[in-house]
Amino acid sequence: MSGVSAYLLRTMASVAPGTRVVDVACGSGAHAEALARLGFDVWASTEDAALAEDARTRLADALDDAARRVSVARPETLGYPDAFAPWAVATDLGAERLSDVFAEARRVLIPGGWLWTDTPGADPGLPVEVRLEADRAAITRLADAARDAGLAVASRPVVDEARGTVVAIFRRVDGDTVG
């Protein structure tokens, strides 16, 4: 899995520039950089100090205050305030972290906020039957983590064969969430 997800960029094309986006587990910052260059108010975190420095370097050309926008934090303990952002992005999340990361994403999302995510799916080189089973398992993991975190499915999961991931969008829906 490498490069920026075309699915993410297409999704964010319908979101107003300037919208705050939290990039959970940003790694070296490829998605954060792409979103910042598109005009989003990007905040990112990674638990690896070296990757955080890479992300800060990548964001420096796109954001004046990149140094303070990338924090070193575990994806399940971001340190951002409750209801901090209308969008969160969480990419390349392994199964063992989904539930905790989704719960933290829900906390930092505003009511009605959106979580765009992908998780590893099947290796594109595997036989079709094996890929289908692996992708179904990834879809189930995403749905279970979203349910456990109190997030609603906003779009059906899609297999991104080019990146070997399963992509989905979830929404924080509270009792008073409008539209």
Side-chain angles (χ1 to χ4, degrees), residues 121-131 161-164:
D123 179 333
L126 294 173
V128 172
E129 303 81 28
V130 176
R131 283 197 330 256
E161 291 184 18
R163 296 184 74 237

Side-chain angles (χ1 to χ4, degrees), residues 98-121:
L98 283 177
S99 290
D100 291 337
V101 172
F102 278 26
E104 180 67 354
R106 185 188 192 291
R107 185 190 68 75
V108 301
L109 286 170
I110 64 170
W114 306 85
L115 170 63
W116 185 98
T117 189
D118 69 14
T119 191

Side-chain angles (χ1 to χ4, degrees), residues 21-29 32 42-49 51-53 55-56 59 68-80 89-91 93 101 104 108:
V21 178
V22 172
D23 187 349
V24 178
C26 72
S28 65
V42 177
W43 294 80
S45 69
T46 180
E47 61 186 298
D48 183 292
L51 288 176
E53 196 52 43
R56 287 182 189 108
L59 287 172
R68 75 179 187 91
R69 288 177 176 263
V70 179
S71 62
V72 178
R74 293 179 51 83
E76 54 271 17
T77 55
L78 294 174
Y80 297 119
V89 172
T91 60
L93 295 174
V101 172
E104 180 67 354
V108 301

